[in-house]
Amino acid sequence: MSEITPPENTDAQSGSERVFAFFRRKVLSGELRTGDRLPAERDLATQLNVGRPLLRESMRSLAMLGLVDIRHGSGAFVGKADISVLTDFFTFSLAQEQNVSEDIMQARMAIECQAIRLACERATESDLDRIGGCLTALIKTLSDPEKGGMADFRFHAAIVQASHSQALVTLYKAISELLMQNHVERRRVTHKTPKVIDDLVESHRQVFLSIVEGDGDAADRRLREHFAIGDELRRKSIIAAFSRGGMAE
């Protein structure tokens, strides 16, 4: 696991690092907002003590992340970060770690348990309709691991969306590729066991009802029970599959 360290002293930073640090500092402080025009290239290069070719290269890198919008003939403007870039980063980075599935599950629990509490307070009728629709889709796709896994993911993603917390939604989207993969893999293991499927449906139904009821404590408890049940059902399904002679089918 990588060590968490504070930003390096700017005196020791390279030219490109100074450009990124400047941009990060201005955005975090609120001095620069989406749509704001950045200083002219000559002025910015002088301010940061970097060459203009290096500044252009750094700005192109920021543009690839969606953080800068370079308009030829007009200048450079603050853009809005592309979440898909962050998703790709997390996917590639975490996929190289050991026990990534367990790690992702822990992150998912942390995000969803807070999100469901907020959803109980903030969910609109539209949010409830969306979550209910995802539950219906989940029930209709129980026999299909691929579609069922994706329906399961969308159900939980809709809960996070209903939290109306941009930070939680962004973090959830950042690990969405790994979450979708995890949902599908779990469904492949469990979809042929009727008892598992019945419990899966009831567990999701109880989670949904807790949001409708608007009881944050009950919602948090039911969601944690849902995670625990899901893990136990997955274990039982694996044992049952091997008891039948393996999982080759």
Side-chain angles (χ1 to χ4, degrees):
M1 181 179 295
S2 299
E3 182 182 357
I4 300 175
T5 58
E8 295 180 7
N9 188 306
T10 54
D11 293 337
Q13 290 178 332
S14 66
S16 59
E17 288 173 336
R18 287 199 297 277
V19 175
F20 283 100
F22 163 84
F23 189 81
R24 181 175 60 245
R25 184 174 64 254
K26 293 293 186 179
V27 170
L28 287 175
S29 68
E31 293 180 61
L32 288 177
R33 299 182 181 278
T34 302
D36 287 351
R37 184 172 181 171
L38 294 173
E41 181 183 283
R42 182 191 302 275
D43 295 337
L44 192 55
T46 300
Q47 181 179 343
L48 298 177
N49 192 28
V50 297
R52 294 174 71 176
L54 185 147
L55 177 61
R56 291 191 201 105
E57 186 63 34
S58 298
M59 296 296 280
R60 279 195 289 268
S61 297
L62 288 168
M64 289 178 64
L65 296 174
L67 300 174
V68 169
D69 178 14
I70 299 175
R71 305 174 193 172
H72 296 291
S74 299
F77 298 78
V78 179
K80 187 173 180 60
D82 184 356
I83 189 62
S84 66
V85 175
L86 185 59
T87 300
D88 289 340
F89 171 79
F90 271 96
T91 299
F92 286 120
S93 178
L94 293 176
Q96 299 173 34
E97 300 290 335
Q98 293 183 342
N99 303 318
V100 64
S101 293
E102 181 62 25
D103 237 13
I104 285 296
M105 193 64 193
Q106 294 300 320
R108 176 189 165 195
M109 289 172 63
I111 294 171
E112 288 190 33
C113 286
Q114 178 60 21
I116 201 168
R117 282 184 172 274
L118 293 175
C120 286
E121 302 173 5
R122 303 175 178 178
T124 64
E125 288 298 323
S126 178
D127 291 323
L128 295 178
D129 287 344
R130 185 184 305 109
I131 299 171
C134 290
L135 177 58
T136 299
L138 185 152
I139 294 172
K140 290 181 178 179
T141 55
L142 292 173
S143 61
D144 188 323
E146 294 288 337
K147 292 181 179 179
M150 289 304 300
D152 202 337
F153 165 75
R154 292 190 184 101
F155 174 85
H156 289 272
I159 293 174
V160 177
Q161 192 72 39
S163 73
H164 294 278
S165 166
Q166 191 57 50
L168 292 179
V169 171
T170 298
L171 289 171
Y172 204 76
K173 285 182 178 180
I175 58 174
S176 61
E177 289 289 338
L178 293 168
L179 289 176
M180 284 186 276
Q181 178 181 311
N182 188 271
H183 276 289
V184 172
E185 288 176 351
R186 283 173 172 258
R187 191 58 67 86
R188 284 183 182 138
V189 173
T190 61
H191 81 284
K192 291 185 178 181
T193 308
K195 176 66 167 79
V196 170
I197 295 301
D198 290 343
D199 288 345
L200 180 76
V201 171
E202 180 58 20
S203 181
H204 281 88
R205 190 177 73 83
Q206 289 297 324
V207 168
F208 173 54
L209 290 177
S210 70
I211 301 173
V212 176
E213 293 165 359
D215 187 335
D217 290 337
D220 182 279
R221 183 177 65 254
R222 289 179 185 177
L223 185 59
R224 290 180 187 278
E225 290 171 352
H226 168 69
F227 285 130
I229 290 170
D231 192 54
E232 182 63 23
L233 292 177
R234 180 180 62 85
R235 294 174 189 276
K236 288 181 178 179
S237 184
I238 293 174
I239 292 172
F242 274 102
S243 298
R244 291 194 300 268
M247 301 174 65
E249 66 273 17

